[in-house]
Each structure stands twice: as structure tokens, then as C-alpha cells.
Amino acid sequence: MEPFRATLSLLLCYSLLSPSSVAEAQTAARASSAQPSVRQPYQPGQLRGDERILHALNRFTFGPRPGDLDTVRAMGIDKWFARQLHPETIDNTGLEARLAQFPAMQWSTRDLLYRLPSNAVLRQAAQGKAPIPEAGALHAIYVNEIARYEDRQKQKEQKKQQESKLASGQTMASSDREDGLNSQSAPRPVRNAQTDSNESNIAPSPSTTPDPQPFNEADTARIVALAPPQRVATLATMPQADFDSFQKSLKGPQRAALLVGLNPAQKEVVAALKGPQRVVSEELAAERLTRDIDSNAQLQEVMTDFWLNHFNVYLHKNDETPYYLVSYERDVIRPRALGKFEDLLEATAHSPAMMLYLDNSSSIGPDSPAAEKAKIAAARRPDAKKTAPQGLNENYARELMELHTLGVNGGYTQADVTQVARVLTGWTVDQPQRGGDFKFDESRHEPGAKKVLGKKIKEHGEQEGRELLHMLATRPATARFISKKLAIRFVADDPPQALIDRMAKSYLAHDGDIAEVLQTLFHSPESWSHDTYRAKVKTPIEFIASAIRASGANIDNMQPLVNALRDMGMPVYGAVPPTGYKWDASNWVSTGALVNRMNFALNFAANRLPGVSSAFTAPSQSTFTVEDGSGPRSAAPATATTGNLPTPEAEELRLESELVAGGISVPTRSAVLDQFHQQSLTVQIQLPPRTMQASVNPVQAAKNLEKQDQLLAGLLLGSPEFQRR
Amino acid sequence: MQTNRRFFLRNGALAVAGTTAIPSFLIRSVLAEASPAPGQRLVIIFQRGAADGLNLVVPYREKNYYAMRPGIAIPENKVIDLDGSFGLHPSLSPFKLLFDQLHLAIIHAAGSPDMSRSHFDAQDFMESGTPGLKSTEDGWLNRALQSEDLHHRQEHTTFRALAMGSQVPRTLAGKIPAIALSSVNSFAVGGRGPAPSPAANAFQAMYGESGDHLFHATGEETFEAVKMLRDANPAQYKPAPGIEYPNNEFGNNMKQIAQLLKSNLGVEAAFTDVGGWDTHQNQGGVDGQLSDRLREFSSAIFAFWQDMGDSSENITLVTMSEFGRTARQNGTGGTDHGHANVMFVLGGHVNGGKVYGRWPGLANEQLNEGRDLAVTTDFRQVLGEAVSKTIGARNLDAVFPNAQLRPDRFLRIL
């Protein structure tokens, strides 16, 4: 016990003498050997040295990884930032290797909708209006889904009949629910409805039995044991009911075993046989998180996240949205995330995702030929259930000015909104259910000149819209609005006006060049003021991504992280209103949020998230052996006390410097350790005293150490300090 | 002051409640004493996205209603008549029962004096309770609770102000801390055992000692709430047989509000929101998109009302939405952003069975800016009456500055 106590008192002395962070102390020690390559001139109230680097890593990346501080110190912070502004110069081979697990994310929207059919495509296929692929796994994907769809329809029909029987006995009026596969902007159901079903009399597959026997264990095991190509082929030739029953018969480890040895494309096939639409939305979210966590071009990902939120598109707007979002992120936003704002604005306005999300695709000039035609058709069939659109939809026109460019006080009126809507009539999507592209439909375009913000726009078809977008992108109000939003993301919830003004000036002087505006931000003293250090609260995505990055976790399955984001109120592509998510603290700090964050930290650190694993015990320590001088010994400071089992204090120090950039406060540290001692007291009852540890079973000791380190890591990642950046 | 009172609570009544040796009936009585004496509870539901009030409560005598909405109007023979002038959308049929029982009041043509048609701004103005004023930092419901404190000097619990979800809405932002909670069952740190886990204790000490004011305060709230919830165990209050909440987020929120109210946690004001109202396209008429939404909306509220049983006597529920929608259908079978809307007030003390408010008419020249239903009742008039007659907020100038609310001008809904 003696050496243990000595360390503790030593640590306490250290804490008293130096209340500043551990990282600072550590880096101060290193500073003698490695001088920063660029010295910052001293300015009062400004962050300097390693604090400045950590600050930059916290603001311009999704959080520092171990080693990032050293890298930036060696390179020089200015050079590092300049390189981040040019993602094409950054080696990203590690990321590319990881992204190879999502082959579908490289496909065109048309291909996605064909190979992973949506409900609309399946419905058309079932009605013979679209082709069903003739053979192979793709055939099975269609046939399985159509069988499930028809099952659901049947069940709904039965339920409706039961309901109407019930309702006929009541006085309360009730109306029949119109069933459809597609329900626009419906609130998210609490749980995904169980869509699997065993009974299927009308499935098109000839070999389907009405009530298949559940798979016996031997059959299940036999299929799981097949070589990959045979395994996939067997699954793809099973009738849908058998396939679903097989899936149900899988027991815990078998689920994972079923996928062992399959290449990414084969895994996609197996997932698609279960449900093709889920493959799209799951890979979409997983791919995005993979980039946030693993990309070396971090600023590009941070800005992609920023623009995807600025030009928000909600995942469940309609059936096709997930399919269009793949291209929206990959082809529209990311390549322009650090380019010119006007290009970005143009590209979003020409994207099917945005045109569908904000309804411009169905807006029609009230005096256009298409409207005339629709009116005649409607007059001919006044009782038709669905009438073709005949006029304007203002949704996109308003949000274009309010949220994308000028800002709500940007000086436009309701009349401007209506005029903008007229300008943009005809901007639509060709065959949206099949994944078609943007299309300008002349017949829907409102004829005549328009007047927006006092400026006349001559009749000129699609060119009117381009003129409008150019006007909006170059307005000073837009420069200010974008600059302020960037300053809120990177500097402070309430950024100084002088900074915003400087950025807006840079925006106007450089044609809305986003990299230039970010340069201005980076080189402004306001960005490096002491007040801004750790002043921002991490949003849920920033919290989760930074925890994973700090711990270097290995992730085979992104779904637990995707779910955690949803629970924290920030589902990927899940912002329903066009405003997207907010960046300021008041939205992300609440009782519910804290409970979620603390639990996430504990579960993640203890490897309780399936497919997410991290090692918080140094490899040299986990393999330590009895102290007889023969085994490998850890060189880490952790072994300082007994020469063998690292103390919580030593481990805390090590983990703190690895996980929490800038360290934690003295009270936080003592809260971690206090609790720890109470805990280890109970552990010690079961264990021989510390002085006898040499005789402890090394496997058991390693396990104890691992548990201790996991708890330490969980507490550090859930600490108030880690919630800030 | 706030801190002191809360400090007392934590170390007084709740410290007793948290001791496992104390029998649970005693805990409950301690908690019961902490809730306000009259036990009035206010539930606020925000319909985000701007619900189409003209198709919720249909002015079916208005010729122009049918002229302006040829594709989406609710035919006269389909509306559920209320008073010979207005009728409910058929999917709101559960509301008819509550209306006939005189528990449900309807205020039509209610809304904000501010003309904004931006979802973001209009929600912000409604939630802050100060239309047109951007600088307001807190929400009207929080100020109402503050105002209550000036009159009743009584103890409150951490659960006094409750929001369903992972964020505290603007409506409840302010000095009085509000609990945000998305799931009753998962609101615990490091496992749901009968006693706090060691990790939870460490976090509690960490946040308790933290010099980070924001996280310190929220941390304190959190652990107090976790503890109360563990002791009260709201999961034991299952909906009575036959009561079915819709299986979606809103239905689940209403169910959990009922559980929390039944648990005697001292909830005075509860908030939840419900989305899916921004029907620019194909909103449908008797059937369709809006109809589906309304069925879920009304059945969740109806289930909540039944579920609360006798205690519904002391509940007042108010619904609101940032603005209404255009009186005319747009070119795509939907409606765009408009102005006035309809509010529902449901409660044991409500003078229900009546449609309140002055009807501005729907003739072209009666429309606001030639396109929307005009506002004749300021939404603050309704909310002001609700807070003064339920949670007892009397200083209405503080709750709704510049609204010049006077009790003698209330609509007497309550």
C-alpha cells in the first residue's frame, strides 16, 4: 500500500502546484525537444503554442486523434490549415479502403433504384409496368420484396375489414385510411414495424409454401458453413418465406457467421434480400460517419457536414430521397464544400434531392401551357381523385432566400417570394421514381418578365433562374448571412461582429470563395481569443465522432453510432424542417442529452456497442507477466509504483492525455479517481493485496486492468471537458 | 433564490425520498406535498410545420372556402358539425366526443400579430411569446412558472417543467430548469439498477464539482431527475386496458407524459411537439396525408385524456402551431404558408363545447393580405388565460410583455 499512497500524494502535490491541464504539462516537457516550426508572435489574450494547435484541431476537424498534435506541431499550424483547404493534396488511402465496404454508394441514382428497388419501383414491377430482373440475386431481391409487400397489403386489408366491422357498431364517425407505400413527411415510427411474415399465399414465387416449417438447426448451420459464393447463391434461390424463416432461425453468433468471408458486394446482396431500401439508408449514414471519423481531409468533411445542414434535405421526405441523397452528398455538396458559394447554390438548385424536398419539382407557372392543360383536364373530370398540379408552390422560393442565401432579414417581401417561385417554375425532375435527373420543363415555366428585389428579370426560360441565383449569391446580405453562420460553427455561439464583417468583405472581394472566407476566419484574432477556447459545446455528431477519433476505435458496424445519434436528437439526414440542425449550445445541453452522452461514453468504452471495439489498455500492459524479469515489461509510466500493475492514477494520466485534448480540470480528475478508489477497495477484497500481485493470475490481472481502464475512459469521455471543443 | 430552494429540496425532502430504507408510500407522500396545492397541470402541444387550421375546423358555411379549395375542401356532408357554422375534419372524430362532453374548447382565427411566414421565425416568436422581438432569451412557459413563484411560495420539484425529447424547447427555456427526457425507460446513467452505479456516482461528483457553469447546472438537474425517476418508477403506470396510443413518436410522448403525471413527480407544465404539418403538396381532403396526421393526432390526445381518468379533472391541454396555411389551395394540391390558425383547449375546467373567437370571414376582401385567414385572437390571449387559471401565473406583463393582456378581456375559456 505504501508506494501506492506515495504516488497519490505525489499526484496531489502536482495537482496543487499546477492546476493547469495535464496535456499542457506534458507538452511543456516535450517543447524543449521539439520546437514549433512556426512561432506565433505574442499577442495578449491570444491562444499560443499547443493550445492553439489543439484549438484548431477541435474547431476544424471532428476532434484530434492521438498523434495529431505532434503532426501539426511538426508541420506548422498555418501549413496544416492551408493543406486542409486543398483536400486533393491529402493522402486518404486509409479512408478509401474503408469506403470500399459500401459499393452501392458509388452507383448512380438510377442504378440504385434499379438494383435496390424502392417501393414505387417494386409496385410498378408487380403491376408489370417495370421489368423484374430475370435471374440471379437481383431477381430474388425483387421477388422477395414484392411478396412481402403483398403480404402487408393483405394484412392491412384484413385489419381494415375488422375496423369497419367495429366502427359500424359505433356512432363515432370514422373514415377509411388510404393505404400506400409512400407517406410524405410522416412522423418517424417508434419502432420499425415488423414486416416479416410467414404466411404468403400470393407470392409470385412458385415454390412458396403457405406455412413453411421453421428452419431446423442442422439446415441453418449447413447454410452458414457454405463457401461464400454458394452461401449467397443458396440464399438468393430460397423462396421469400423460407428466406425470412431462415433469417429468424439464426441465433446470435450465427448472424455474424453468415457474413464471414463475404466480400462487400456479397454482403450487400444478403442485406438486400432482407430489404433493399434499408441497404441504401443504412449505407448512406454509415458512409457519412466513416468519412467524418476516418478522413484525413477533415476540413472537407466538416464543411460537407456544414453545407448538408445548410442545404438540408430530409431523409424521409419521400421514398426516393435516400437514393437521391447518395448523389447529393457525393456529387453536389462534397466536391464544392470548399469552392465557390455560387457553384454550390447552383448545384443544389439543380439537384433532384432539393427540388423534390422543397417541392419545386411540382411547381407550375399559373399561366404556363402545362397549367392550361391541367385545368382543362380537371374541368373534364371534376371528380378525379388526384388532379395534376396547376400552379405555384412557394416552398423552395421562400427557403432559398430565407435559409440558403439572404437570411430572414435579408430584405425580401412576400411579393419577392411569389416572384422567385415564378422564376423557378419548370425547374423539376425527370422521372423521379426512376432516379431521373434535373430537368427544365419549358411547358411549366411561367411566361413574362418577373421582378425580384426591385430588379427586372426578362423572360428567358431556365436562364432566369440562373440570373436569380447569381443575384442572390452576390448580395451583401448573403455574404453576411453565410459569414455569420460559419463564424458560429467555427468560433463562437455569438461571434464578434468585427469578425463577421471581415469575413463578409472577403466573401464579396473573392466572388464568394469559401476557402478565402475560411482563410480570413483562420487569420482573424477573434478566432484565437482565450474566450473561445473550449467555448463551443459539441453537437452530438461532434461528440460521437471526436470520442471515436480520440480512442482510435475499430468499427465494423456503424449502426450503433447511427442509433446513438438518433437518440441524441441528431439523426443523420434526419432534420425534418429546412432549417437543419442548430449549432449553438442551448440546443444540445439538457438533462436528456447528458444522460445519453454519459451512457454512450460508458457503453462505448466498455465495448458494449456491437461491432465497435477499442482498446484503452496499452498493448504492452495487457501482455504483462509476473514480475520475474523474464516477461516483457511495460515501459509506460504506468508501472512506476509496483513495477507491475499500473495504478488508476497513472492510467488516468495516460488516458487523459490520449483522449481529452487539453486535459481535464482538477475537480474532474479527483471525481474520477475518488470513485475509483472506492471501487478498487471492493475489488481488492476479492484479490490478494497489491504487494502480492506478482502471484496473481496474469490473465485475471490483465482483465482487471482492462476493466479499470474502460471505466476510466468512459468517465473521461463523459466528462464536462469532453463535451466542449 | 432558485438555487437555494433547489438546494433545500435536494437536501431536505428528496434526500429523505432517496433513502432506500424509507418505505415507498412515504416517499410518495413527500413528493406529493411538493407538487402545487391545487395540482393544476398544463400540457402544451406544438404542431410544428404550420397545421392547416381551415381543414381542421372547417368553416363549412363559407362559400368561398369551397371555391378556394376545390381539390382539398372537406365536403359539408363529411364534416362533423359542431355548432352549425364549423365542423371537424372527419379524422378528428375523437374530438367530437370531448367537445360534446364540454371538455374541449376551440379558438378559431387565432394567431400571432407578427406577419412572418418563416417557420423558424414564427415558431421562435410563438415560443418566446414575444412576436416580432428577436432578443427575448427565454420562453413564455418558463416565464409563467417564474411568475407563479411570485404568488405561491411553495416548493417545486425538478420535474416541475418537463419536455419530451432530447432537447429543451424554446417554450421552456429560461431561469427555471426544465427536464428534457425522450424515454422514461432509458433515463438512467450506467444501468437501471435499484441503486446508482459507481460510474453514475463518479459522474455525479464530477458534474457537481465542475466549474463549467452550464454543465454543472445541467448535471445537477440530471442526477436529481434520474434519482426521482428511479424512486417513482413511472413504468409501473401502464395505460388502462382498452386505451391505445398510436405507435409513433407523438403517441409515445403522450403516453409517457401520462405516466409521469401519474407518478406524482411534481410536474406542473409539460411540453411535447408533433411534426408533419407542412403540407405544401398533395395534402388530401377527407383522406390523404393531412387526414392521416389528424387521425394520429386526435387519437393520441384522446387516449391521453382517457388514460388520465379522474386526474384529467386537473389537466389543461393547449395546442398551437406557428401559423395557418393559405386559404386557397396552391398549384400542387397543398397549401402554402398563411396566417391565422385554430387552437384546441382541452381540460377538466374548460368551458368547452364552444367555438370561441370572432370569425373574420373568408370572402376575398376579408382575407389577410388577400390570401390567408385573418387573426382575430392573439394566441397570447389564450395562453395568458391558461397560465393564469392553471399554474397561477398572474403577472401577465412579465409572461407576455407588450401584449397588454387583461383578465377582464379573457375569452373565458376556463
Side-chain angles (χ1 to χ4, degrees):
Chain A
M1 287 304 273
E2 276 315 303
F4 174 80
R5 227 173 253 155
T7 326
L8 188 63
S9 53
L10 200 78
L11 262 158
L12 283 172
C13 289
Y14 167 77
S15 311
L16 287 171
L17 286 172
S18 161
S20 59
S21 68
V22 177
E24 227 175 289
Q26 287 170 337
T27 48
R30 280 192 217 124
S32 55
S33 57
Q35 288 291 332
S37 57
V38 180
R39 259 183 184 284
Q40 295 298 327
Y42 178 78
Q43 277 174 292
Q46 292 276 289
L47 295 170
R48 298 174 65 225
D50 284 349
E51 255 185 0
R52 194 178 174 97
I53 296 174
L54 288 175
H55 186 62
L57 286 167
N58 265 322
R59 296 302 173 95
F60 299 107
T61 77
F62 280 103
R65 283 175 302 195
D68 277 0
L69 178 65
D70 294 330
T71 309
V72 179
R73 199 193 289 117
M75 187 191 275
I77 187 171
D78 291 355
K79 194 175 163 203
W80 170 79
F81 187 73
R83 190 180 278 184
Q84 285 292 320
L85 287 175
H86 293 280
E88 68 284 358
T89 64
I90 297 171
D91 174 34
N92 232 341
T93 40
L95 172 71
E96 278 148 26
R98 284 187 175 273
L99 291 178
Q101 58 184 315
F102 311 119
M105 294 298 101
Q106 299 308 317
W107 302 347
S108 70
T109 313
R110 271 185 196 281
D111 279 356
L112 278 167
L113 274 161
Y114 177 66
R115 295 165 72 171
L116 296 166
S118 68
N119 284 323
V121 170
L122 290 165
R123 203 168 38 216
Q124 288 172 349
Q127 294 164 354
K129 293 176 190 163
I132 297 181
E134 279 180 8
L138 200 48
H139 176 77
I141 290 168
Y142 272 66
V143 170
N144 282 2
E145 271 305 279
I146 290 172
R148 291 187 194 111
Y149 166 61
E150 287 174 348
D151 252 7
R152 283 200 300 274
Q153 291 299 99
K154 209 175 69 183
Q155 283 174 0
K156 279 178 182 173
E157 195 54 46
Q158 284 168 352
K159 204 179 162 201
K160 215 157 92 174
Q161 280 169 3
Q162 283 171 352
E163 271 173 7
S164 61
K165 265 183 218 158
L166 276 173
S168 61
Q170 289 179 351
T171 49
M172 247 162 59
S174 89
S175 63
D176 290 337
R177 177 185 290 249
E178 193 188 348
D179 277 323
L181 284 163
N182 174 14
S183 160
Q184 276 189 31
S185 57
R188 177 160 48 90
V190 177
R191 220 175 296 125
N192 282 336
Q194 191 69 32
T195 52
D196 296 348
S197 169
N198 285 338
E199 37 170 353
S200 164
N201 296 320
I202 50 162
S205 183
S207 53
T208 303
T209 48
D211 200 7
Q213 295 300 309
F215 262 75
N216 65 44
E217 275 179 42
D219 279 349
T220 306
R222 186 181 55 80
I223 295 171
V224 171
L226 288 172
Q230 283 78 33
R231 213 184 308 155
V232 176
T234 306
L235 294 175
T237 46
M238 275 185 197
Q240 170 265 337
D242 288 358
F243 178 84
D244 288 353
S245 146
F246 167 75
Q247 288 289 341
K248 271 188 195 159
S249 74
L250 288 174
K251 298 197 176 66
Q254 279 179 324
R255 263 174 229 286
L258 183 68
L259 300 177
V260 165
L262 302 190
N263 64 33
Q266 288 168 329
K267 282 184 191 164
E268 261 176 6
V269 167
V270 174
L273 286 168
K274 283 194 269 184
Q277 292 117 19
R278 272 181 63 180
V279 177
V280 181
S281 45
E282 286 185 4
E283 285 198 11
L284 181 66
E287 181 257 9
R288 178 121 166 254
L289 287 182
T290 302
R291 287 175 176 276
D292 290 351
I293 292 165
D294 288 322
S295 176
N296 289 331
Q298 278 282 299
L299 184 58
Q300 184 184 36
E301 293 311 321
V302 167
M303 287 305 295
T304 299
D305 181 58
F306 177 87
W307 293 122
L308 281 171
N309 194 58
H310 183 84
F311 295 107
N312 182 55
V313 172
Y314 172 54
L315 182 66
H316 300 298
K317 166 73 178 183
N318 56 38
D319 243 12
E320 289 77 31
T321 319
Y323 296 80
Y324 276 114
L325 276 171
V326 174
S327 160
Y328 186 65
E329 176 188 321
R330 178 190 65 203
D331 308 325
V332 174
I333 303 289
R334 184 170 293 105
R336 296 172 182 83
L338 291 160
K340 294 245 162 100
F341 180 76
E342 189 173 338
D343 289 344
L344 195 51
L345 185 67
E346 269 272 353
T348 55
H350 280 96
S351 72
M354 182 61 78
M355 290 298 97
L356 291 168
Y357 172 55
L358 290 179
D359 303 321
N360 202 75
S361 58
S362 53
S363 183
I364 288 184
D367 304 314
S368 67
E372 291 303 318
K373 221 172 116 186
K375 274 172 207 158
I376 293 166
R380 214 174 280 157
R381 298 178 54 219
D383 301 327
K385 228 181 169 188
K386 270 189 184 168
T387 51
Q390 299 169 29
L392 288 183
N393 186 310
E394 292 175 0
N395 203 8
Y396 177 62
R398 179 185 311 282
E399 309 306 6
L400 173 65
M401 291 193 283
E402 177 187 330
L403 300 174
H404 297 172
T405 58
L406 303 171
V408 72
N409 295 320
Y412 59 90
T413 62
Q414 173 59 40
D416 287 322
V417 172
T418 310
Q419 287 293 307
V420 167
R422 285 167 192 267
V423 167
L424 292 170
T425 46
W427 290 49
T428 186
V429 180
D430 185 32
Q431 286 192 307
Q433 293 188 335
R434 299 288 181 89
D437 295 327
F438 172 88
K439 171 177 92 172
F440 178 74
D441 183 347
E442 186 75 53
S443 73
R444 293 176 163 213
H445 189 65
E446 176 71 0
K450 290 97 185 169
K451 196 173 174 186
V452 177
L453 300 164
K455 193 177 174 274
K456 191 177 162 188
I457 297 179
K458 275 192 289 187
E459 179 172 341
H460 201 1
E462 188 187 353
Q463 190 56 33
E464 292 170 32
R466 292 178 182 270
E467 215 175 290
L468 166 81
L469 293 175
H470 175 73
M471 178 169 87
L472 291 175
T474 50
R475 299 277 286 201
T478 301
R480 284 192 298 270
F481 182 61
I482 300 296
S483 298
K484 182 169 181 184
K485 214 166 166 183
L486 285 168
I488 290 174
R489 168 62 182 77
F490 288 106
V491 181
D493 283 359
D494 192 10
Q497 191 59 43
L499 172 68
I500 298 168
D501 292 346
R502 208 175 305 125
M503 289 166 69
K505 216 173 135 188
S506 169
Y507 177 104
L508 293 171
H510 295 99
D511 240 354
D513 189 317
I514 298 152
E516 287 290 343
V517 178
L518 287 176
Q519 285 273 17
T520 304
L521 178 144
F522 185 85
H523 291 290
S524 287
E526 292 88 348
S527 300
W528 306 101
S529 138
H530 266 301
D531 305 343
T532 66
Y533 189 65
R534 276 186 174 167
K536 291 284 297 181
V537 169
K538 289 175 182 170
T539 61
I541 179 61
E542 289 162 355
F543 166 66
I544 288 177
S546 65
I548 307 292
R549 281 172 62 78
S551 47
N554 184 47
I555 299 178
D556 296 323
N557 177 13
M558 282 287 173
Q559 207 51 43
L561 305 185
V562 173
N563 295 346
L565 271 171
R566 186 197 58 211
D567 295 344
M568 292 181 197
M570 202 183 201
V572 184
Y573 288 115
V576 185
T579 18
Y581 296 119
K582 292 167 197 161
W583 296 112
D584 51 335
S586 60
N587 278 282
W588 302 114
V589 185
S590 71
T591 49
L594 268 194
V595 167
N596 282 333
R597 287 185 186 213
M598 290 186 271
N599 284 329
F600 175 83
L602 294 173
N603 290 333
F604 161 63
N607 287 338
R608 280 195 291 261
L609 304 178
V612 180
S613 57
S614 39
F616 293 102
T617 307
S620 57
Q621 291 163 355
S622 55
T623 58
F624 78 103
T625 58
V626 286
E627 196 182 16
D628 60 359
S630 63
R633 283 188 52 174
S634 165
T639 55
T641 49
T642 61
N644 210 329
L645 245 197
T647 63
E649 286 75 15
E651 287 296 86
E652 193 282 324
L653 269 186
R654 180 177 65 78
L655 286 167
E656 184 184 330
S657 74
E658 283 174 14
L659 295 177
V660 193
I664 57 176
S665 70
V666 175
T668 298
R669 198 176 302 127
S670 56
V672 171
L673 290 171
D674 275 359
Q675 190 52 42
F676 220 83
H677 291 146
Q678 286 173 26
Q679 249 237 326
S680 53
L681 282 179
T682 55
V683 173
Q684 278 180 13
I685 295 167
Q686 298 145 19
L687 291 175
R690 252 173 199 279
T691 45
M692 287 172 63
Q693 269 163 4
S695 60
V696 171
N697 170 4
V699 177
Q700 187 57 43
K703 265 193 187 155
N704 288 345
L705 179 65
E706 192 184 9
K707 276 216 150 139
Q708 163 192 295
D709 287 352
Q710 286 179 342
L711 181 57
L712 278 170
L715 292 174
L716 289 169
L717 295 175
S719 68
E721 286 83 350
F722 195 78
Q723 308 314 311
R724 291 192 176 267
R725 62 176 175 95
Chain B
M1 277 310 288
Q2 200 53 41
T3 326
N4 288 343
R5 228 184 359 257
R6 297 178 40 70
F7 185 74
F8 163 78
L9 254 188
R10 195 161 36 252
N11 293 284
L14 285 173
V16 175
T19 315
T20 43
I22 305 282
S24 63
F25 70 85
L26 195 54
I27 296 171
R28 211 155 295 135
S29 72
V30 169
L31 291 171
E33 268 182 20
S35 62
Q40 291 292 314
R41 286 105 167 248
L42 185 59
V43 179
I44 303 293
I45 297 172
F46 204 114
Q47 299 169 278
R48 293 196 195 275
D52 183 19
L54 287 173
N55 267 19
L56 268 59
V57 177
V58 181
Y60 67 89
R61 297 277 181 209
E62 291 276 359
K63 281 205 182 74
N64 210 23
Y65 167 80
Y66 292 99
M68 291 188 292
R69 297 184 161 215
I72 60 167
I74 311 299
E76 191 174 335
N77 61 0
K78 295 277 181 166
V79 299
I80 306 171
D81 179 50
L82 293 172
D83 61 357
S85 303
F86 296 99
L88 289 169
H89 189 288
S91 290
L92 291 177
S93 57
F95 282 3
K96 168 68 169 154
L97 226 61
L98 301 172
F99 189 85
D100 290 345
Q101 292 168 355
L102 309 184
H103 289 310
L104 179 72
I106 294 169
I107 304 93
H108 220 320
S112 169
D114 190 87
M115 284 297 162
S116 174
R117 288 193 183 86
S118 144
H119 290 299
F120 181 74
D121 266 10
Q123 286 183 23
D124 199 54
F125 289 154
M126 276 216 167
E127 296 203 72
S128 74
T130 57
L133 199 65
K134 297 228 163 189
S135 54
T136 313
E137 285 185 346
D138 47 9
W140 65 269
L141 191 48
N142 199 293
R143 289 196 303 275
L145 293 169
Q146 293 171 37
S147 157
E148 177 197 8
D149 285 345
L150 299 175
H151 289 274
H152 316 259
R153 293 233 157 249
Q154 58 191 348
E155 297 307 335
H156 303 288
T157 73
T158 305
F159 273 90
R160 183 182 186 191
L162 166 75
M164 299 310 296
S166 52
Q167 292 149 21
V168 175
R170 182 85 156 89
T171 300
L172 273 172
K175 253 187 247 166
I176 291 179
I179 296 296
L181 180 157
S182 32
S183 158
V184 165
N185 292 333
S186 62
F187 199 77
V189 176
R192 279 199 293 148
S197 68
N201 286 332
F203 275 133
Q204 186 166 4
M206 194 188 285
Y207 281 79
E209 296 296 313
S210 178
D212 185 325
H213 296 299
L214 180 63
F215 282 105
H216 170 76
T218 313
E220 299 263 281
E221 294 309 318
T222 303
F223 285 102
E224 205 167 294
V226 164
K227 184 172 173 173
M228 284 182 72
L229 213 55
R230 189 173 47 236
D231 294 341
N233 186 22
Q236 65 184 300
Y237 301 100
K238 301 259 185 288
I243 295 174
E244 260 187 69
Y245 288 91
N247 182 28
N248 58 27
E249 206 172 323
F250 179 60
N252 206 30
N253 283 352
M254 291 310 292
K255 183 167 111 192
Q256 296 192 87
I257 289 178
Q259 288 180 318
L260 291 162
L261 289 174
K262 289 180 194 171
S263 308
N264 265 330
L265 289 159
V267 175
E268 290 174 47
F271 178 98
T272 182
D273 50 19
V274 50
W277 305 102
D278 198 13
T279 49
H280 283 279
Q281 205 188 344
N282 282 335
Q283 72 175 52
V286 172
D287 296 311
Q289 211 190 129
L290 180 63
S291 167
D292 291 347
R293 214 65 347 103
L294 290 175
R295 193 176 296 109
E296 290 162 0
F297 179 68
S298 59
S299 56
I301 292 174
F302 189 68
F304 170 78
W305 185 253
Q306 289 181 300
D307 193 8
M308 288 312 294
D310 290 345
S311 8
S312 61
E313 180 66 18
N314 293 325
I315 287 170
T316 305
L317 179 153
V318 183
T319 73
M320 58 200 288
S321 190
E322 65 263 36
F323 40 69
R325 308 191 70 82
T326 45
R328 293 181 190 87
Q329 75 183 62
N330 67 12
T332 58
T335 42
D336 290 323
H337 300 181
H339 198 40
N341 208 331
V342 65
M343 295 174 81
F344 296 101
V345 181
L346 170 68
H349 295 285
V350 168
N351 302 316
K354 187 179 163 189
V355 181
Y356 289 80
R358 187 175 68 74
W359 181 245
L362 276 186
N364 288 343
E365 66 279 6
Q366 292 170 321
L367 296 177
N368 170 59
E369 297 184 354
R371 51 179 270 159
D372 326 305
L373 180 65
V375 169
T376 56
T377 302
D378 190 322
F379 74 101
R380 295 170 295 181
Q381 192 79 18
V382 178
L383 298 179
E385 185 177 348
V387 293
S388 68
K389 293 186 181 165
T390 57
I391 51 180
R394 281 184 221 160
N395 184 359
L396 292 174
D397 286 340
V399 182
F400 294 109
N402 305 324
Q404 281 146 8
L405 299 182
R406 277 176 34 197
D408 58 322
R409 279 196 235 137
F410 281 159
L411 296 172
R412 302 185 197 289
I413 303 163
L414 281 147

